[in-house]
Amino acid sequence: MNRQQFLEFLKENIMILDGATGTELQKRGMPKGVCPEKWVIENPDVILDVQREYVSAGSNAVYTCTFGANRIKLEAFGLQDKVVEMNAELARLSKKAVGDKAFVAGDLAPTGKFIKPFGDMDFETCVEVYKEQVKGLLEGGVDFFVIETMMDIQEARAALIAVKESCDLPVCVSMTFEESGKTLMGTDPLTALITLQSLGADAVGCNCSTGPKAMIEIIRAMKPYALVPLLAKPNAGLPKLVDGKTVFDMGVEEYGTYVEELVKSGVNLLGGCCGTSPLYIAEIKKNIKGLKPLKIEPEKVSAITSARSTVFLGTNQPTVVVGERINPTGKKKLQEELKEGKTSLVTDLALEQVEKGAKVLDVNVGMPGIDEKETMVKIVELLVSMVSTPLCLDSSSPEVLEAALRIYPGRALINSISAEKAKLEKLLPVAAKYGAMFILLPLSDEGVPATAEERYTIINEVYERAKKYGYEKKDIVIDGLVMTVASDQKAALETLKVIDWSTNTFGCNTILGLSNVSFGLPERSWVNSAFLAMAMGKGLTMAILNPSSDTLMSIKMAGDVLTGKDKNSLKYIEYFGGSTKEKPVQTKKAEQSVTERIYGAVVGGDRENIKLHIETALKEGYEASYLVDNCLIPAINHVGDLYDKKEYFLPQLIQSAETMKEAFGLVEPLLKKDETAEKAKARIVIATVKGDIHDIGKNIVALMLRNYGFEVYDLGKDVPAEEIINAAKEKKAEIIGLSALMTTTMMEMKTVIELAKKEGLKAKFMVGGAVVTESFAKEIGADGYSEDAYSAVKLANKLLEA
């Protein structure tokens, strides 16, 4: 099936997908603890029966049984060298099962590891892991690809790039969203959609985690901006324990009542995830009768994204401030740091600009004496972990921009593409490949055009070339090209003409780098501010400036009111509202005490500087126990509060926990000499139960517990009950933590708890995992349930007090 056929089918039809595969395999005899993919290859008739039942029930497409068939997951079974042949064989089995009655989608799923900077896996390694799997699926003859159950937008991007660099088949991507409406890593549906469709996904959507009711809201959030068909594969409600078996609480008929609303919300591909048997698919088919998919008629919007936020651009949006300060030009201290490979000043500049109102950060590291590509990649990886603000990647080197675009986990803005032959030929295809917006600089090999009319000609020329790569005017931001008025009095007027024409005649977003206009003049801020106000009157969309300038930011806020971009002056009132006494005074970092800097480093996840701050504090005479009790513990508690309020998400939680770990490693040896220092709170044995090879959630819980002072013994994944109990005895554990991700392994938790009682073990049990609930925990006799890593810390403290 080529892309055109795929899209044509979805214009007229709802594609019915299959349901859950794992539970169906277990019903038919698949034992716990085996590698599902290997077992299916050894018992091919089982998968043939399952998938034929789905097709008979109404599925137009089935997923290959390759959810865990990537190198990293198969390594747990010693099968990492069999990736290609196993995927090929599993794809052939699916093709045999459905014949010409349905399509076969090659299934790619999470590796279970985090990509840098939140884990230890390189982005390129992740791409190669998926390419290996794709190769096998292509050999097996799949019709299209589905990347499913993704929690991390960066891992989804890696899989998508792997498919697109391997073949031309259609590819769908579905993310997993929590009850909060965001992924585990903090990505909202709109941000996921814009990022993935810009990168070339042919369909985007959601699966797992929630039932159909919650997915309706996710699809509704995506639909107004969707350039591609939308996909939904909901669970059959929530899991619960009935007569010793795990079942989902939503029956077939109830599930079917949501089908019409899902379609009316914009779903084009619909199936089921956990708990959905062929009966659920038959119910979808029954309720879908007579329904047609909604047309794809998205709003014409311009948007860039980070991994966790979206910024809209346009004449109906407030003027977007692009922070200019991460640029070594004229900044000796920043130049020195970049040469030394340090990043603390970059972090400070980023956080300060965001705090002052920058909605986008321009990132430029071009200077002599450094490897610009290596430095740019390093800084991008740093910033995406520190701020949720989208980035404007700024370099004159096509190679640098390509390297940054590849690892940037969102839809970036490129600064810039001009009519210079080398840039047009090298950058346009790269920008298009990664779905980036770009700043069009009206400059040619002949130099800077003096007049606005000459710039119009170049703008048209670049736009015509960009159209061949699929670009529309909404994907381009035109730079008015600011020259200094000190050398040419008419320069600013020509630039304003370009802004006016680009906005009101040509119909594009616009941007200016303000500071050039005043170069060589005294009291430059007045010229810059006046120029900003005049440009906003012409329709300016974005401004590259220093957000720490109160004058510029005040003009910007007032300008948005006067041009009607700030609806009901709400942002202006928020910015200036209240008396100055009510506004907290921000203390500059240089003026902060060392203990304040330690606290701030943990809250901000600043691993690079925490060592320096701790060493400084110790030299100043602070006791190690004082730093723990008054800086580190309060800071990590504050991080937990931010996480509870959904102001922080997993990336920030990991960064802060790692910073805490770094700090604690420095003070811990000194605590042993300090008689007043608190010892480890308790010993905890933690494991993913037998039969379950998913450990990413368990790993995060273990990390957080350690950083809150617990002595944690992590037994890993797929751990038998006897091994867990023996370890708890040996380590004299006060608490045992159990994790399970699959409904097929949940009951193993009960086995462990019953064995502990039989052995007379007094340890308290805490349980968690994607499919585990509070009621399930009570039914199996656990002492507590935690839904995430931070609540596990609170629960552990509570269990110790009981």
Side-chain angles (χ1 to χ4, degrees), residues 198-370:
S198 298
L199 192 57
D202 297 290
V204 176
C206 45
N207 76 290
C208 205
S209 285
T210 62
K213 185 177 181 180
M215 280 199 182
I216 290 169
E217 297 308 312
I218 293 169
I219 296 299
R220 281 177 178 163
M222 291 182 174
K223 183 59 182 174
Y225 309 97
L227 304 170
V228 296
L230 298 178
L231 178 156
K233 252 194 160 202
N235 290 343
L238 296 171
K240 62 181 182 180
L241 197 62
V242 177
D243 297 330
K245 291 183 179 181
T246 306
V247 298
F248 280 77
D249 64 4
M250 184 174 287
V252 172
E253 288 187 11
E254 184 184 356
Y255 192 86
T257 62
Y258 292 100
V259 168
E260 184 175 354
E261 195 60 40
L262 278 162
V263 173
K264 287 182 176 179
S265 298
V267 165
N268 303 82
L269 303 95
L270 181 59
C273 206
C274 301
T276 57
S277 67
L279 293 175
Y280 287 79
I281 303 306
E283 191 69 15
I284 289 175
K285 184 176 181 181
K286 184 177 83 173
N287 285 279
I288 225 166
K289 193 173 181 181
L291 297 177
K292 286 286 185 181
L294 296 184
K295 289 182 180 179
I296 297 174
E297 296 176 327
E299 295 181 22
K300 292 280 186 179
V301 296
S302 302
I304 55 175
T305 68
S306 67
R308 302 191 297 278
S309 70
T310 296
V311 171
F312 288 105
L313 319 173
T315 53
N316 61 337
Q317 299 288 338
T319 305
V320 173
V321 172
V322 181
E324 69 178 6
R325 300 187 66 198
I326 304 175
N327 187 327
T329 305
K331 299 185 181 78
K332 287 185 179 179
K333 189 175 179 182
L334 181 56
Q335 290 174 5
E336 289 169 7
E337 281 214 353
L338 292 176
K339 283 181 180 178
E340 293 171 8
K342 295 180 179 178
T343 57
S344 59
L345 187 52
V346 171
T347 298
D348 291 346
L349 291 171
L351 294 174
E352 181 184 345
Q353 289 184 103
V354 171
E355 180 191 326
K356 295 292 186 179
K359 299 302 180 186
V360 179
L361 295 179
D362 188 77
V363 182
N364 184 317
V365 295
M367 56 174 281
I370 65 168

Side-chain angles (χ1 to χ4, degrees), residues 773-786:
T773 62
E774 182 89 49
S775 60
F776 177 81
K778 289 177 181 176
E779 288 182 60
I780 63 172
D783 298 286
Y785 155 79
S786 66

Side-chain angles (χ1 to χ4, degrees), residues 154-203:
Q154 187 70 314
E155 189 171 34
R157 287 183 73 255
L160 181 53
I161 288 170
V163 174
K164 293 187 72 63
E165 289 183 345
S166 301
C167 67
D168 293 321
L169 292 182
V171 53
C172 313
V173 187
S174 64
M175 306 293 294
T176 277
F177 297 96
E178 309 284 304
E179 286 185 13
S180 65
K182 297 189 177 186
T183 69
L184 187 67
M185 301 294 280
T187 304
D188 62 273
L190 177 58
T191 297
L193 170 75
I194 292 172
T195 299
L196 295 167
Q197 69 183 12
S198 298
L199 192 57
D202 297 290

Side-chain angles (χ1 to χ4, degrees), residues 62 80 153 277 294 361 390 440 468 500 527 541 723 731 789:
V62 300
Q80 63 271 23
I153 193 73
S277 67
L294 296 184
L361 295 179
L440 191 165
K468 295 176 182 177
D500 191 359
V527 178
T541 305
E723 191 175 325
K731 303 299 182 185

Side-chain angles (χ1 to χ4, degrees), residues 2 89 262 284 308 318 353 359 491 571 648 711 760 801:
N2 62 39
E89 180 58 26
L262 278 162
I284 289 175
R308 302 191 297 278
Q353 289 184 103
K359 299 302 180 186
K571 294 186 183 298
Y648 267 22
E711 195 174 325
E801 294 168 3

Side-chain angles (χ1 to χ4, degrees), residues 47-68:
I47 194 68
L48 294 176
D49 287 344
V50 170
Q51 295 192 326
R52 283 169 181 160
E53 279 191 32
Y54 276 124
V55 173
S56 296
S59 292
N60 304 121
V62 300
Y63 288 14
T64 56
C65 184
T66 54
F67 186 94

